[in-house]
Amino acid sequence: MSESTKKKIRRRRRRKGNMGKKPWIIAGSIVGALVVIYLGISAFFIGHFYIDTEINGQDFSGKSVSDVENYIKEQVQDYELTIIEQNNEKDVIKGSDISLTYKENDDIQKAMDAQNPLLWPKAFFSVSSTNVTIDVGYDQDALNTKIQEVKAVTQEQTDPVSAYPKFDGDSFVVEPEVYGTAVNMDVFTQKVAEYITQFKTELNMMDEECYVMPKYTSDSPEVQKACDAMNQYCKASITYTMEDENVVVDKELISTWLKYDDNMQISLDEDAVRKWMREFGKKYDTVGTTRSITTPNGKTVDVSGGTYGWSVDEDSETKTLINSIKNGEVTEKTPAYVQEAASHSEQDWGTTYAEVDLTDQHMWYIVDGSVAFEADVVTGLPTPERETPSGVYSILELKRDKTLVGETDPATGKPIYETPVSYWMRVTWTGVGFHDATWQPYFGGSLYQTNGSHGCINMSYDDAATLYSMLSIGTPVVMHY
């Protein structure tokens, strides 16, 4: 191989070697440049804050300590806080009004020193919120005076109304809250001081809840939950089937018995249910009420008092009604009664009863609307102590061969009378009843005015025997003048 050929081969080998080294040289140059740039940026952040750095809520990205301090001084010089109130009313508190000053300290420099300049890339992944105490001074008394002059504070203060369950005629729905004008002075004073310290320029009192806020709003789950619970009660419908009408206890009435407390806890007002039941009983109870009766001889009179008639068992029925409402029952029923009568008509004693005319001194026994028996009688002596009571009663006891015993005579210590009778038909537990009175010379007329009984209805032996054979326990007895 010639010398020239060898030289050519060596040159080609050198070129190939240089070509293999070139990418490494380029890569190294790039890395070096990036390192220089990285270090240069790091050097920048030795005296400047990271990107996305906030100090007391203000953005100071890439700013130096002197930049921050100068900004603060500028803010103090021309600072104004605009307070936005309801109805777009506005008030302004100027820094000059309260002698606002900036008190320099080393907190900003400390925040800068705490920053590692080599870790500046992390700023791109999170906001660096630096807590720095920017000390500002102001005249506290002057600030308090300016706060007291704000229109929201000086105007009439009205409390808010929370959202609440409201019956709309069909169901309970959320009635929206109403915001009042009453200012929460603690919150308002705190927010004003906070905004001034951070040099914020606009304070919206409503957004910052500087007013007394309603406890519940339309979005409060407690109110909707209360509505749901009340609507569950309103699913109940209890129909009392009375003689001439149905009395319905449904959502329209139940809604008035539901209440909620300050914590939106729902309850059924059982006292209100009990009161309604008393009115229900008063309407349909007939014991002691005034009724009209027409005697077999055509005389029409009013009669009141007595112990006979319908009487709703209000205690029992109230408990049953409350349970039915709580369980959401839908049902028809008749109320429970302490005692019942023959009919729900105006003459609730029905068509079979005994009648005593205390004026005419005559009695009838009516069966199915027709006179089955009648007789003259002698009733009580017309004095307060001995007169026969008027009213509607019933036969309480039927007894043969009974001795009637009067009240004890204080002078003798013995009963004023002890009289045996053959037929006893009790009308009241106080001692009034039908019985035979063989000692009476006659019956009817005006004998009762001079020789009247102690309240009983005296009859002849035969008449008493006949009536005794016809009556039964519970037979109504109507006595009237």
Side-chain angles (χ1 to χ4, degrees):
M1 182 182 295
S2 65
E3 189 64 28
S4 62
T5 302
K6 291 179 180 179
K7 289 180 180 180
K8 289 180 181 179
I9 292 172
R10 287 196 293 270
R11 284 197 295 272
R12 283 197 294 270
R13 286 176 179 174
R14 282 197 297 270
R15 284 196 295 271
K16 288 181 180 179
N18 290 336
M19 289 295 290
K21 293 178 180 179
K22 190 173 182 179
W24 292 102
I25 294 172
I26 293 172
S29 299
I30 292 173
V31 170
L34 290 175
V35 169
V36 170
I37 293 171
Y38 185 88
L39 292 175
I41 295 174
S42 298
F44 175 80
F45 284 117
I46 292 175
H48 298 81
F49 286 105
Y50 285 157
I51 302 299
D52 286 336
T53 294
E54 292 184 353
I55 298 178
N56 282 31
Q58 297 294 327
D59 184 8
F60 287 105
S61 301
K63 301 296 184 181
S64 65
V65 170
S66 60
D67 289 336
V68 177
E69 291 179 338
N70 289 335
Y71 170 82
I72 294 172
K73 291 175 183 178
E74 290 173 2
Q75 294 302 306
V76 168
Q77 183 177 357
D78 300 317
Y79 179 74
E80 290 184 353
L81 174 62
T82 300
I83 299 173
I84 301 176
E85 305 153 49
Q86 292 191 57
N87 301 320
N88 290 320
E89 293 278 0
K90 293 182 180 180
D91 280 289
V92 176
I93 297 178
K94 297 180 179 180
S96 58
D97 293 335
I98 60 174
S99 303
L100 185 65
T101 58
Y102 167 54
K103 297 179 180 180
E104 296 186 19
N105 61 27
D106 60 356
D107 282 0
I108 298 175
Q109 184 60 54
K110 287 180 179 179
M112 178 66 73
D113 294 342
Q115 186 176 275
N116 188 337
L118 293 176
L119 300 180
W120 59 266
K122 72 176 185 179
F124 292 101
F125 302 100
S126 64
V127 175
S128 176
S129 182
T130 304
N131 291 320
V132 174
T133 302
I134 298 176
D135 287 334
V136 294
Y138 51 81
D139 185 331
Q140 185 66 58
D141 291 338
L143 178 58
N144 290 339
T145 299
K146 295 301 293 184
I147 289 175
Q148 292 297 326
E149 292 174 351
V150 171
K151 286 187 283 292
V153 177
T154 60
Q155 70 181 10
E156 180 183 358
Q157 305 285 292
T158 59
D159 290 326
V161 177
S162 285
Y164 64 94
K166 181 180 181 181
F167 189 69
D168 67 0
D170 182 63
S171 63
F172 279 94
V173 296
V174 176
E175 179 69 10
E177 68 280 4
V178 177
Y179 289 93
T181 60
V183 176
N184 185 327
M185 291 304 297
D186 290 340
V187 174
F188 183 43
T189 301
Q190 175 190 341
K191 289 297 180 180
V192 168
E194 178 185 310
Y195 270 54
I196 290 174
T197 301
Q198 297 180 10
F199 302 112
K200 293 182 179 180
T201 58
E202 192 172 272
L203 168 60
N204 188 305
M205 292 183 65
M206 184 62 74
D207 291 346
E208 290 289 3
E209 298 188 355
C210 295
Y211 293 97
V212 177
M213 306 303 288
K215 183 176 181 179
Y216 299 107
T217 68
S218 301
D219 297 326
S220 298
E222 297 90 343
V223 186
Q224 186 57 59
K225 184 178 178 181
C227 287
D228 294 341
M230 296 170 99
N231 286 328
Q232 187 64 36
Y233 281 115
C234 289
K235 289 181 179 180
S237 180
I238 299 89
T239 301
Y240 290 101
T241 54
M242 308 308 289
E243 183 76 10
D244 299 321
E245 62 178 343
N246 288 338
V247 178
V248 181
V249 176
D250 60 9
K251 58 187 176 183
E252 184 175 353
L253 180 57
I254 295 171
S255 65
T256 66
W257 297 339
L258 299 175
K259 57 184 181 179
Y260 54 88
D261 62 18
D262 290 340
N263 296 318
M264 285 294 154
Q265 296 301 305
I266 301 305
S267 62
L268 178 65
D269 188 344
E270 296 186 5
D271 287 339
V273 180
R274 193 168 290 106
K275 180 180 179 182
W276 180 88
M277 187 58 69
R278 284 198 298 269
E279 294 300 316
F280 177 81
K282 187 183 297 184
K283 180 177 180 180
Y284 292 101
D285 287 353
T286 59
V287 176
T289 60
T290 300
R291 293 92 125 185
S292 177
I293 186 171
T294 300
T295 66
N297 58 14
K299 182 172 69 174
T300 299
V301 297
D302 289 333
V303 58
S304 60
T307 58
Y308 181 87
W310 294 98
S311 180
V312 175
D313 189 343
E314 295 174 7
D315 289 339
S316 172
E317 196 56 44
T318 296
K319 293 176 183 177
T320 301
L321 179 57
I322 288 172
N323 287 333
S324 294
I325 294 172
K326 288 182 176 180
N327 294 328
E329 293 180 9
V330 178
T331 184
E332 290 187 0
K333 61 176 299 185
T334 56
Y337 292 97
V338 175
Q339 68 178 44
E340 300 182 6
S343 169
H344 277 292
S345 62
E346 182 180 357
Q347 294 184 349
D348 60 352
W349 50 81
T351 58
T352 297
Y353 56 94
E355 179 181 352
V356 180
D357 189 325
L358 300 172
T359 300
D360 291 346
Q361 293 290 286
H362 196 77
M363 66 80 57
W364 300 268
Y365 181 53
I366 313 296
V367 178
D368 295 331
S370 300
V371 177
F373 171 76
E374 62 179 302
D376 287 333
V377 296
V378 174
T379 61
L381 190 71
T383 65
E385 298 81 13
R386 294 174 59 174
E387 66 180 353
T388 303
S390 64
V392 184
Y393 301 87
S394 62
I395 296 299
L396 303 174
E397 180 185 37
L398 293 172
K399 190 174 182 64
R400 287 295 309 273
D401 301 323
K402 180 178 177 64
T403 298
L404 305 180
V405 180
E407 297 177 356
T408 300
D409 185 347
T412 63
K414 296 181 179 180
I416 58 177
Y417 64 84
E418 291 184 79
T419 306
V421 297
S422 297
Y423 300 97
W424 170 244
M425 296 154 273
R426 183 185 292 276
V427 176
T428 75
W429 290 116
T430 57
V432 175
F434 296 93
H435 65 79
D436 53 293
T438 56
W439 57 88
Q440 292 288 11
Y442 63 91
F443 297 89
S446 60
L447 181 61
Y448 78 102
Q449 295 181 357
T450 57
N451 200 37
S453 71
H454 287 266
C456 287
I457 304 99
N458 291 176
M459 305 180 72
S460 70
Y461 183 89
D462 290 341
D463 287 343
T466 301
L467 182 62
Y468 186 91
S469 68
M470 302 176 78
L471 292 178
S472 60
I473 300 295
T475 299
V477 179
V478 183
M479 300 191 293
H480 59 81
Y481 285 95

